[in-house]
Amino acid sequence: MCADRVNGDDVRTMVREGAKKRMSFAFCLDGSKDPLLMIQPGKKPETLRNPVKQAGGTNPMAWGTYVVRDGEMEMICEQAPGKMITALKKFLQRNRPKVNVLFYDDGGNLLDSLKPEGESKGQADVDDVSATGIDASAVAPLTRRLKRIQPRIALAPGPLELKLKRALSKSVKLINAGRLQEAETLIVVIERAIARIGKDRESADKSMRRGQREMDQRSLGAQVKRAQALRANVARAPGPARDRLDRAVHVAARLLKKRDLSGAQSVMDRIEKALTTLV
């Protein structure tokens, strides 16, 4: 079986080979403290020890297998000295593999990860919420939920962690763009994912119920403001119509107090329609 040394320019070739089949790898530093990475097809990375030593490699040494799928290179390290994993990560980072690299031990535990250069640029977190010109009372509950779930995302398994971080970043950007309903939906998805893998004190159902309550509260606030605006318009209506519409506004207000949002919306729709006929 042929063992090939991977130089910096060959890292992307290494990725392409891993996309075709599972490969073995071994990594260490040579006598000059330069990185020495070798790969070969198959699942017996220990057979790379001799070729690596013949190429000038020294201990400590990391070896294992890797495979590339769905834009991620999973490196299963059967022998994984921490110093070598760090050095391997730096070597790959310098040579830009253009895929997410996930380093696992042979028990499936995530040791480290590497994102393609540029992926983290533009990736927002909770501290980047800056919804200028948007109702602060509508944004605050969403920000509070993001702050609660952000540290829990780090507890998710490697590939899922990356996906949830991207989802959180997108939800922040949606909030900043004023697209609160879309942000709300995405936050619910994140909450359910974290609850489902057992990294949250809440169950998925409890997360959904809490999310629905906060969504209803935000919607209630918007409907209260709508009722207040209608009342101001009704005050300018002609005498007989004003009395009738004012009573309707009070009906809508009572429904809002009962949190009957659909009923209140229906009444306010009729009030708006009546006001347009008076113009």
Side-chain angles (χ1 to χ4, degrees):
M1 205 172 284
C2 180
D4 298 312
R5 180 165 183 169
V6 178
N7 296 311
D9 295 338
D10 301 323
V11 165
R12 292 179 192 174
T13 301
M14 170 188 175
V15 172
R16 286 195 293 272
E17 290 300 314
K20 297 175 187 175
K21 54 185 174 292
R22 184 169 289 277
M23 302 283 290
S24 295
F25 75 90
F27 177 83
C28 64
L29 302 180
D30 63 17
S32 302
K33 302 300 180 184
D34 291 324
L36 197 167
L37 174 62
M38 298 190 80
I39 62 172
Q40 69 180 17
K43 302 178 182 179
K44 295 184 178 180
E46 64 277 6
T47 60
L48 281 168
R49 281 181 294 181
N50 286 336
V52 167
K53 287 181 179 179
Q54 290 169 8
T58 59
N59 288 323
M61 186 184 301
W63 70 72
T65 64
Y66 75 93
V67 67
V68 179
R69 51 193 170 203
D70 298 327
E72 293 176 342
M73 182 160 72
E74 298 178 2
M75 305 194 79
I76 312 299
C77 305
E78 296 179 16
Q79 179 161 304
K83 183 178 178 182
M84 286 300 99
I85 297 301
T86 301
L88 175 56
K89 178 180 176 180
K90 288 180 179 178
F91 171 74
L92 293 174
Q93 190 170 30
R94 282 197 303 271
N95 294 289
R96 303 179 183 180
K98 290 196 171 181
V99 292
N100 290 323
V101 183
L102 305 170
F103 301 92
Y104 294 95
D105 63 19
D106 55 3
N109 301 303
L110 183 67
L111 301 173
D112 207 338
S113 62
L114 171 65
K115 296 178 182 177
E117 186 172 319
E119 181 172 314
S120 60
K121 293 178 182 177
Q123 194 168 85
D125 62 17
V126 182
D127 294 332
D128 295 313
V129 172
S130 178
T132 307
I134 304 171
D135 184 4
S137 64
V139 172
L142 300 180
T143 305
R144 186 167 59 249
R145 288 164 69 184
L146 287 174
K147 285 182 177 179
R148 194 184 72 84
I149 61 179
Q150 182 168 280
R152 290 167 171 78
I153 288 176
L155 302 176
L160 179 59
E161 179 190 3
L162 296 174
K163 291 177 183 177
L164 293 179
K165 281 182 177 178
R166 287 195 290 268
L168 185 140
S169 174
K170 185 176 180 181
S171 65
V172 169
K173 292 174 183 177
L174 288 170
I175 291 172
N176 291 345
R179 295 159 63 182
L180 302 187
Q181 187 59 60
E182 293 174 66
E184 169 87 36
T185 301
L186 196 51
I187 290 169
V188 169
V189 170
I190 299 171
E191 288 174 332
R192 293 192 71 180
I194 292 173
R196 196 159 48 240
I197 60 173
K199 299 303 181 183
D200 200 348
R201 292 187 299 271
E202 292 184 340
S203 66
D205 287 342
K206 190 174 180 181
S207 288
M208 282 293 290
R209 288 196 298 271
R210 183 176 47 74
Q212 187 62 48
R213 280 198 307 273
E214 297 205 359
M215 188 162 31
D216 289 345
Q217 286 169 359
R218 192 175 75 244
S219 181
L220 176 63
Q223 295 305 322
V224 168
K225 288 185 177 180
R226 182 186 179 193
Q228 291 169 342
L230 282 174
R231 189 169 190 179
N233 288 327
V234 166
R236 294 192 290 270
R242 182 174 63 243
D243 293 340
R244 178 168 49 83
L245 292 175
D246 192 53
R247 286 195 297 272
V249 169
H250 280 86
V251 170
R254 285 197 298 272
L255 290 170
L256 287 173
K257 283 184 179 179
K258 295 177 181 178
R259 296 185 179 275
D260 182 357
L261 298 185
S262 60
Q265 287 172 350
S266 178
V267 172
M268 287 189 284
D269 287 344
R270 292 199 297 272
I271 295 171
E272 286 179 343
K273 186 176 181 180
L275 285 170
T276 58
T277 63
L278 296 174
V279 176

